[in-house]
Amino acid sequence: MTLHRQIPHVIVVGAGYAGLPCALRLARHEDVRVTLVSPDVRQELTCDLYRTLRTGKPYTFAFQKLLARRGVRFIESRVTNVDPANKLLELRGINQQALPYDALVVATGLRSVMPAIEGLEDLYQQNKENLSKRIFQFKKTSHVQELRTALARIGWKPESRESRDRFVVVLGAGSTGIEVAGELAYLRGNNKRCRIILLDEHPSMLKDFSPIARKLFRKDLNRLKIETVLGSPASRLSAEELHLQNGQVIPWDLLVLCTGAKRTTTWLSGLASAENQVGLAVDESFEIKAHPLHFAIGDVARYTINSAPLMNPLILPRRAQFAVQSGLYLADRIPLLFKNFPHQNHAAFRASDLGYLVTLGPHDGIGRLGPPASSRLAKWVSPFVHGASVDKLKNLVRVRYLLTLKREGYNPF
Ligand SMILES: Cc1cc2nc3c(=O)[nH]c(=O)nc-3n(C[C@H](O)[C@H](O)[C@H](O)COP(=O)(O)OP(=O)(O)OC[C@H]3O[C@@H](n4cnc5c(N)ncnc54)[C@H](O)[C@@H]3O)c2cc1C
């Protein structure tokens, strides 16, 4: 009689920039079985949403059939609960018994939170029911398409002859907010009646860029007539006006929320502790603290870098390149754990920061090349790109990601 060895079952939850490459790389290892759970059957390339705003073209691709060819079992569902003690997952809409696993990889990203602005939540809820939406998130293709419809409705185009100014307020001047403002400027061309207000409670933008790059960036904003209001938080929203803490009042027709994502989802409460509500605290191998064989990668992981070369001790930034790197690293590490390969012999994770690109429409933008400088002097001489090449480089970054998936055996082209 032949005895079959029990093959460890690894479940990856979430098919974003971290989860999809992780599941594909895991499937290369014959000594684990892989299941990927995701409510989406297409991956949304969030880094390219700004381009969807420009053209209307979605940047998504279907992965389900090809996963099967790679031997990854795919379950189209959302995880609703985890029982880490018994290693069981509950899935929405699946009435059978909970799904057992030997190792769990959480790659669910972070949930957006509404900024704490009086009146915003109420107006947002009313707005959801309304066909003439005026408040928008910016995280999915559907959000962007809704925004494009609303822009068309208010006559946001180069040649419109409206008699009054229309205001689109972009709340949050991080890289997403800046890119949204850049596309809005491109779409309205020279139409002076279409006003873009980029707003943030922080007094400065792109803090870890070189002072020279930031100066060029500010010049671009002026030339593109993107108005910035920085350094005071928004405190109250009425149907027509946004009030800031410093007393300024800004009229608005459309409001785009680019204030970032902060919360883990509630199903993770079995793994989370009070202090890591903005991510699951993981050790240097992405294992969730106090939960052996439970891992978190990508945005949902709170990973502290202590000794990575070329970087100061910091929390690994929440960006696509690190999501991919963490996913691939972990996929090679998990099979070793099941072979009892000594922990100290595992290769350490090395984050490699290729840089940071921020477009302002197709013709403008600024990009830091390589990791952020560690001293003030180094910042002055740190390399950057400027102008139309930023958009072209972002295109290459997408191709690079798709090539990574191709190398892992999945051809999205
Ligand atoms: C508009 C925008 C622009 C960006 N631009 C850039 C950029 O230019 N460069 C850059 O480096 N980074 C950029 N980022 C950040 C980048 O997108 C994130 O760092 C990256 O998506 C993180 O990958 P992830 O796999 O951790 O999470 P995600 O890509 O968010 O994927 C998480 C997946 O988990 C799924 N999921 C959630 N809950 C569950 C559940 N309960 N059960 C099953 N599945 C679940 C979700 O549906 C989703 O598919 C941008 C982000 C946004 C929003």
Side-chain angles (χ1 to χ4, degrees):
M1 187 177 73
T2 317
L3 282 180
H4 289 282
R5 194 169 55 92
Q6 202 49 9
I7 300 177
H9 181 207
V10 184
I11 302 184
V12 180
V13 187
Y17 286 95
L20 189 58
C22 181
L24 288 167
R25 174 68 66 92
L26 272 166
R28 276 190 186 187
H29 298 271
E30 286 175 353
D31 32 20
V32 290
R33 275 187 302 134
V34 191
T35 300
L36 178 66
V37 181
S38 164
D40 317 304
V41 292
R42 303 183 72 83
Q43 183 177 5
E44 298 234 359
L45 298 174
T46 35
C47 301
D48 293 280
L49 279 181
Y50 74 96
R51 205 167 290 175
T52 303
L53 179 55
R54 185 187 307 163
T55 61
K57 182 184 164 207
Y59 286 85
T60 68
F61 60 86
F63 51 74
Q64 196 174 352
K65 276 190 196 152
L66 288 155
L67 278 181
R69 252 183 253 161
R70 292 292 300 158
V72 178
R73 180 183 174 206
F74 177 69
I75 303 181
E76 184 184 342
S77 182
R78 184 173 281 280
V79 173
T80 50
N81 197 24
V82 58
D83 172 358
N86 295 305
K87 295 204 175 136
L88 292 171
L89 269 192
E90 286 170 28
L91 308 182
R92 178 176 296 167
I94 305 224
N95 296 325
Q96 66 206 31
Q97 284 179 336
L99 202 61
Y101 58 85
D102 298 292
L104 179 71
V105 181
V106 181
T108 49
L110 285 179
R111 197 157 55 96
S112 299
V113 281
M114 270 290 149
I117 299 170
E118 189 192 325
L120 173 61
E121 182 75 48
D122 285 349
L123 279 169
Y124 184 73
Q125 291 309 332
Q126 291 167 21
N127 161 91
K128 263 168 103 176
E129 319 295 318
N130 202 323
L131 281 179
S132 314
K133 282 193 181 175
R134 294 177 60 213
I135 305 177
F136 304 87
Q137 308 254 20
F138 200 85
K139 217 176 171 238
K140 292 182 166 189
T141 306
S142 56
H143 300 152
V144 183
Q145 302 292 24
E146 285 170 356
L147 175 58
R148 279 177 58 86
T149 307
L151 288 168
R153 193 180 68 231
I154 64 168
W156 195 269
K157 52 188 176 182
E159 71 280 7
S160 91
R161 297 228 171 102
E162 285 276 335
S163 53
R164 71 165 186 98
D165 285 354
R166 276 138 303 140
F167 290 83
V168 177
V169 175
V170 180
L171 196 58
S175 55
T176 300
I178 293 169
E179 289 192 336
V180 169
E183 296 307 326
L184 290 172
Y186 174 69
L187 290 172
R188 63 101 205 256
N190 286 327
N191 187 342
K192 291 193 179 74
R193 289 289 192 192
C194 295
R195 310 257 308 259
I196 305 158
I197 316 290
L198 180 60
L199 202 139
D200 204 297
E201 59 185 349
H202 295 293
S204 56
M205 295 180 279
L206 302 178
K207 271 197 293 208
D208 56 6
F209 279 55
S210 88
I212 306 164
R214 289 172 67 187
K215 198 167 176 191
L216 288 170
F217 168 68
R218 278 193 300 273
K219 273 191 173 169
D220 288 344
L221 287 182
N222 283 339
R223 184 170 41 79
L224 294 170
K225 303 212 164 22
I226 296 172
E227 300 165 58
T228 54
V229 181
L230 303 175
S232 180
S235 54
R236 188 162 64 81
L237 185 74
S238 69
E240 307 298 333
E241 291 168 340
L242 181 63
H243 296 250
L244 305 193
Q245 220 168 59
N246 67 4
Q248 261 180 290
V249 179
I250 297 166
W252 67 283
D253 291 282
L254 305 181
L255 179 65
V256 190
L257 303 174
C258 298
T259 43
K262 292 197 181 80
R263 293 268 153 179
T264 57
T265 43
T266 43
W267 73 270
L268 285 167
S269 54
L271 294 168
S273 59
E275 82 276 14
N276 57 28
Q277 276 296 292
V278 285
L280 295 167
V282 293
D283 68 12
E284 69 283 1
S285 319
F286 295 94
E287 198 162 53
I288 300 169
K289 294 191 175 158
H291 292 286
L293 290 174
H294 291 76
F295 304 89
I297 49 174
D299 279 9
V300 74
R302 194 166 189 278
Y303 185 96
T304 310
I305 303 166
N306 290 317
S307 58
L310 305 174
M311 289 175 118
N312 291 327
L314 44 68
I315 302 290
L316 190 63
R318 294 197 162 104
R319 300 226 307 274
Q321 58 177 323
F322 300 125
V324 177
Q325 289 170 25
S326 62
L328 294 178
Y329 168 81
L330 184 64
D332 284 335
R333 194 170 182 281
I334 287 178
L336 297 179
L337 292 171
F338 288 113
K339 286 183 193 154
N340 293 325
F341 190 73
H343 186 84
Q344 62 277 17
N345 293 354
H346 291 200
F349 175 68
R350 294 261 177 264
S352 139
D353 192 337
L354 298 176
Y356 197 20
L357 301 167
V358 185
T359 56
L360 278 169
H363 309 304
D364 296 284
I366 198 87
R368 168 166 63 64
L369 297 177
S374 50
S375 69
R376 282 181 76 180
L377 180 64
K379 245 187 194 178
W380 276 94
V381 291
S382 62
F384 64 88
V385 277
H386 177 237
S389 47
V390 179
D391 192 44
K392 293 194 176 79
L393 276 177
K394 273 202 96 151
N395 225 347
L396 287 181
V397 171
R398 183 181 68 252
V399 173
R400 186 174 186 270
Y401 173 64
L402 297 178
L403 284 172
T404 303
L405 296 181
K406 192 163 183 251
R407 258 199 317 277
E408 296 308 320
Y410 168 62
N411 190 351
F413 291 105

